Amino acid sequence: MEISTFNIVGCGRLGRAVAKLFLDAGIVADVRVINRSLQSGKAAVQAIGGGGAHGRIADMPPSNLWLVACGDQTISEVVEMLAREATFSSSSVVFHCSGVLSSAELAPLRARGCSVASVHPVRSFANTEMAVRDFTGTFCGVEGDENAQVVLKEIFSRVGGKVFSIPSETKLLCHAGHVFASNYLVTLLKVARDLYVSAGVPEELAWHLMEPLVRGTVDNVMRLGPAGALTGPIARGEGHVVATQRDEIARASEQCAALYEQLGLLALDIAREQGLSEDGCRSIRRALQVSE
Ligand SMILES: NC(=O)c1ccc[n+]([C@@H]2O[C@H](COP(=O)([O-])OP(=O)(O)OC[C@H]3O[C@@H](n4cnc5c(N)ncnc54)[C@H](OP(=O)(O)O)[C@@H]3O)[C@@H](O)[C@H]2O)c1
């Protein structure tokens, strides 16, 4: 598809980086942006290093590629506005980059003849320059209309993205995978730090203690899978250790003890996969206070 103008509604952290990637790669010749305020639109144009800002959607030129990159909570309101006021060329492709919302959010634009999709680049866009510099190799989950998917997969591949398809219906579950792999990993490391500190280990030493453990464990899981990587008292079926440890944690924090029990049960599934005996499994379940 020949694209001359790329229109972006909501050109903040992600919009600026995507615009710059497409411009620098020569995929688009011009970028037009609209933000809540014209001043913010002009700042975006300056950060991108080209293009122009508009005050009203109706003033944006016709385009066959549109990105809706306002915050997720305003996408539906912006889409309604676009459906009423924008000029689309025939075969326009419209996409958003939310990780949790699907292309269904763009349905009113499908009714205007557009082909719609979502592309979720799995990375942080906190800083435009860094996001552009480090974009190569970024995984991009794509779902939506066939035509839009074909166009967007080609464009995002050209700027270094590793595109993959996700079913629209399971997109939120796929995002939950990102939450566990990233956000909850951060949370777990904070829990570990708190337990070290409760045990009297100075905080700085706690981080040093954890670092080789965390890096080594992540490497092992990636190389060997969970069943190859799990070690420790649950893998060995040492119920007495698990029970005493659970009670000790409860003295420091009931919330952490509850987490220890829940994660322990999931770890037990892995231990069973490793071949832990029935006796070992029973002893761990008792230690985690699960009635038989
Ligand atoms: N940031 C990330 O790391 C990241 C990563 C992956 C996916 N995403 C997705 O990318 C999208 C954008 O996120 P972001 O972090 O780039 O957001 P952001 O930095 O907060 O930028 C949002 C932009 O949208 C503009 N905007 C808000 N409401 C508008 C409206 N009604 N009309 C026109 N413009 C409007 C804002 O304009 P003003 O400046 O005038 O307020 C702002 O420039 C979201 O769907 C998000 O889920 C973000």
Side-chain angles (χ1 to χ4, degrees):
M1 184 171 90
E2 274 298 304
I3 305 157
S4 54
T5 307
F6 178 31
N7 283 351
I8 303 180
V9 185
C11 196
R13 286 164 293 193
L14 176 131
R16 292 172 186 205
V18 170
K20 197 161 167 47
L21 281 165
F22 289 5
L23 260 184
D24 290 354
I27 290 166
V28 301
D30 189 20
V31 178
R32 298 279 131 188
V33 310
I34 185 164
N35 279 355
R36 263 184 299 221
S37 75
L38 187 57
Q39 195 186 5
S40 162
K42 286 180 175 166
V45 166
Q46 199 170 13
I48 295 164
H54 296 267
R56 298 184 323 142
I57 283 177
D59 294 337
M60 296 182 95
S63 164
N64 51 4
L65 187 64
W66 291 72
L67 166 61
V68 179
C70 50
D72 286 5
Q73 66 287 356
T74 35
I75 287 182
S76 66
E77 151 200 336
V78 164
V79 165
E80 290 297 338
M81 201 158 62
L82 276 174
R84 282 193 310 271
E85 300 174 22
T87 310
F88 297 106
S89 58
S90 61
S91 75
S92 284
V93 167
V94 187
F95 70 108
H96 68 65
C97 290
S98 167
V100 293
L101 301 174
S102 79
S103 56
E105 291 295 308
L106 304 170
L109 301 174
R110 201 182 272 138
R112 287 277 320 266
C114 302
S115 181
V116 303
S118 75
V119 180
H120 178 228
V122 188
R123 67 163 308 114
S124 163
F125 286 85
N127 174 286
T128 307
E129 291 298 328
M130 279 166 61
V132 169
R133 191 193 62 204
D134 301 338
F135 190 79
T136 297
T138 298
F139 284 94
C140 300
V142 183
E143 61 77 40
D145 295 343
E146 186 67 32
N147 176 48
Q149 280 204 53
V150 170
V151 170
L152 292 164
K153 280 178 176 170
E154 205 235 309
I155 295 175
F156 275 89
S157 298
R158 276 176 64 188
V159 295
K162 286 187 174 170
V163 297
F164 65 100
S165 300
I166 35 169
S168 305
E169 317 78 57
T170 56
K171 184 172 176 179
L172 194 55
L173 208 52
C174 178
H175 187 266
H178 304 327
V179 169
F180 272 92
S182 173
N183 311 157
Y184 286 2
L185 181 58
V186 173
T187 313
L188 269 186
L189 296 182
K190 184 198 173 283
V191 169
R193 193 270 323 257
D194 290 350
L195 289 172
Y196 283 124
V197 170
S198 299
V201 177
E203 178 168 354
E204 206 186 327
L205 177 58
W207 289 118
H208 288 312
L209 269 177
M210 265 194 280
E211 191 176 345
L213 260 184
V214 174
R215 292 190 194 281
T217 304
V218 170
D219 278 351
N220 285 344
V221 175
M222 294 303 159
R223 275 190 300 123
L224 309 169
L230 186 73
T231 57
I234 291 186
R236 292 190 294 268
E238 296 170 351
H240 59 289
V241 176
V242 173
T244 332
Q245 191 162 59
R246 187 239 162 254
D247 292 347
E248 191 70 17
I249 295 170
R251 272 188 279 281
S253 158
E254 274 297 341
Q255 206 179 12
C256 288
L259 185 63
Y260 183 88
E261 286 170 14
Q262 289 302 312
L263 290 174
L265 285 175
L266 292 170
L268 181 57
D269 289 340
I270 304 172
R272 194 176 283 116
E273 206 184 311
Q274 290 177 330
L276 183 64
S277 68
E278 264 318 303
D279 275 357
C281 290
R282 213 170 299 119
S283 134
I284 298 294
R285 285 177 69 80
R286 262 200 307 273
L288 294 171
Q289 303 189 328
V290 180
S291 52
E292 295 293 327

